[in-house]
Amino acid sequence: MTVLAEVLRRDRVFDFVLPEPDFAGGLDTRHGPILYVEDVTVAFDGFRALDRLSLYVDDGELRCIIGPNGAGKTTMMDVLTGRTRPDSGSVWFGSRIDLRRASETAIARGGIGRKFQTPTVFEHHSVMENLELAMAADKRVWPTLFAHMDSADRDRLAEVLALIGLASLERQPAGALSHGQKQWLEIGMLLMQNPRVLLVDEPVAGMTHQEMEQTGELLQRLAGRHSVIVVEHDMAFVRSIARQVTVLHQGSVLAEGTMDEVQNDPRVVEVYLGE
Amino acid sequence: MTADAKSLPRLGYRGGLLTGDIAGRVLIALLLAAAVAVPAANLLAPEGSLLHLSSYTVTLLGKYLCYALLALSVDLIWGYCGILSLGHGAFFALGGYAMGMYLMRQIGTRGVYGDPVLPDFMVFLNWDRLPWYWYGFDQFPVALVAIVLVPAVVAFVFGWLAFRSRVTGVYLSIMSQALTYALMLAFFRNEMGFGGNNGLTDFKDILGFDIQADTTRAALFAASALALAGGYAICRFIVSSKLGRVVTAVRDAEARVRTVGYRVDHYKVWLFTVSAMLAGVAGALYVPQVGIINPGEFSPLNSIEIVVWVAVGGRGTLIGAVVGALAVNYGKTVFTGVWPEGWLFALGALFVVVTVFLPRGIVGLLRRRRGEEAA
Ligand SMILES: Nc1ncnc2c1ncn2[C@@H]1O[C@H](COP(=O)(O)OP(=O)(O)OP(=O)(O)O)[C@@H](O)[C@H]1O
Ligand SMILES: [Mg+2]
């Protein structure tokens, strides 16, 4: 019964009903942006979580997205990762890949990695094993049974370990890590899949001041090689890392610019003070 | 501190299968030694001497080893992937029936009715022809294939239906109980062609050797010991591979494994099928030693008993399954000798005690002791 109900849910798109996306055809970012979100609307029972949202993110950019609770930030990430399908509008990865037609798995494999708000790492596996499991590889059963790491894989693993600052803890079970370290490990797991775009939802919630600083440094180091989109409520943190800031409000873009520009925008001030 | 690539241990299968697995090495060494020593003690040591083992004991030990292999198969899916199958006795029984069919066909004209092709129970039912699914079972290689293939196919179909629809937890356990119960009812029916409630019995010989002979029994014991050693090595290979780490991740956080890009249902079906094959081999070795297979082997209670063995030994350790199966079955032999009707109560009590006081089983207890000493 529950299985049937699950299958009949209308708000879920099943991967097997979608045609194969053309990720193999290659990502085309010659025109600048790596993500094109145009006129996207998502409604839940008539309520518009996203309302004709348009947003462009350049290749290699570090973009911060802020906005009051319920502004649609998480929903936007759901759309980019194929978890929620837009009711209208278009979503492109580069200028060739239509994300509306791609399955969640295909998008994840195709180069858009996402870090969820609550970190989930494999607690009983070591830091290193967590990264190994996440690594881009043939993930079918038989190849996995006989998989072993070649030197390129090990170099990549060591590189990511160093990048996320957990090199000395590689053999620790992930469950023994601090909250902040788990967040970094999860970012590391994303990196093992060699994503072009990283979506990071509220990375510093619950972190100590020092962990916050380290996270900021990490995200800045990632920009350039990856495009990074950070959703965050902590203004001090956003200020410390932001180059371009987009303010979302009621499902669409309210303002865009540097931190100073948007903070002095009267409409933004009104939205934040009005809360 | 930064890690350089060379200092990182290599993940994945590393050639030395039992590297670091001391318990496993001891187990395999003991099994290999037993495969030689037990038959020798039975066949060579003179009766009455201290070293002599009776044929009864040899067969009893062989039976225990089959149970241990069965327990291993359950630990592989329950301990490592969190799939609590309460129907694994079915795969054991299917393997057993496949072997039983071969043994029936070996009887030939020595049956009560003396029919060269039809087993006695078919003559008794006035059947004039062998059902199609009995064809080829007079050939040992065909039986060998059936012993692993039949449980594998049933497990694959069951797993494919269950895991694709994401049936987990208690629902899966109930479904697996239903599977073994349904098979039991089916095998009870005479029309099924498996001897009804009498099952298959009165075996005469196996591969041309008298099944009652001491040498045959010793050989069957040795085969069981080798099968358990091989089964252990296969399971150890699986759980220490990357696939092993994927399935333990499934056990701990299934949804997350999916987001990392693994097809969880494929992994579960695969592991479940491999596990059923091991159980089938255990059943096939069990039947010639006990001399009978009947629908009672499909009893849901049997499957629950296997889970208790694994829990007592310590799940998720492999070695625990072996220790648990041997310990509980030895206990059962002793206990039922004194108070046969009390066994179910004892088993239930044992399960409660272990869950409450020894959540990690005997092996967990021993490891903790050792850990404390080391610390
Ligand atoms: N599955 C859903 N069904 C119904 N309403 C939803 C659903 N998901 C989100 N919403 C609504 O859509 C709006 C936008 O939600 P979203 O989670 O995108 O906001 P957010 O900007 O991430 O907020 P926060 O800062 O609190 O994380 C909210 O009002 C929320 O209640
Ligand atoms: Mg949110």
Side-chain angles (χ1 to χ4, degrees), chain A residues 3 109 120 122 124-125 128-129 132-134 139-142 144-146 149 155 158 167 170-171 186 189, chain B residues 1 3 5 8-12 165 237 241-243 245-246 248-249 252 256-257 260-262 266-267 270:
Chain A
V3 176
R109 281 191 197 164
T120 27
F122 301 117
H124 292 105
H125 291 68
M128 203 168 44
E129 288 170 343
E132 181 212 20
L133 288 178
K139 288 180 175 165
R140 287 171 304 165
V141 177
W142 285 103
T144 305
L145 179 64
F146 295 106
M149 292 204 156
D155 287 344
E170 64 189 39
R171 282 159 207 255
E186 196 166 298
M189 289 168 76
Chain B
M1 189 177 132
L8 286 176
R10 293 168 72 187
L11 296 166
S165 324
F237 174 77
S241 71
K242 183 176 179 184
L243 182 145
R245 291 187 284 281
V246 173
T248 38
D252 300 337
R256 184 70 174 99
V257 179
V260 176
Y262 296 94
H266 291 191
Y267 280 81
W270 187 89

